[in-house]
Amino acid sequence: MNKTFLALIILTLGVSSFSNEVGLPREVVALPVVEGNHLICIWDDAAGDWLTEFESYDHEGVYDFQVPEWGKWYWIGLWDSSIGDYVYGKWIGHFPVE
């Protein structure tokens, strides 16, 4: 084996061993096409409470979400203000694998 190939293997193994410590994951959630006033709500299941204040949905079709912590479940919901009910919901969880 040449030295470059060997160095590449060592670098790859070193990076992969720290891959769950690099940073927190981002989620880009596809949201349904809706009309009217909607709010995006994020539930932190471990805390048993809303993660943040509800925010207005910009009707772009996606929601970019920075997962605040590994190993927890978060529910992202789309609240329709006109009918007073959720029209969409999705659970998100990221768990490091060793």
Side-chain angles (χ1 to χ4, degrees), residues 3 6 12 15-16 18 24 29 31-32 34 44 48 54 64-67 75 77 84 87 89 91-92 95 97:
K3 291 179 183 180
L6 186 57
T12 302
V15 170
S16 65
F18 295 104
L24 295 171
V29 179
L31 296 175
V34 292
D44 181 340
F54 299 171
D64 190 355
F65 173 63
Q66 174 69 58
V67 177
W75 182 79
V87 294
W91 282 100
I92 295 172
F95 300 87
V97 178

Side-chain angles (χ1 to χ4, degrees), residues 22-58:
V22 171
L24 295 171
R26 291 195 76 76
E27 279 285 340
V28 179
V29 179
L31 296 175
V33 176
V34 292
E35 293 183 18
N37 294 326
H38 291 80
L39 299 172
I40 295 176
C41 316
I42 303 173
W43 178 259
D44 181 340
D45 198 48
D49 198 4
W50 298 108
L51 182 65
T52 61
E53 296 291 323
F54 299 171
E55 46 184 287
S56 295
Y57 175 47
D58 60 11

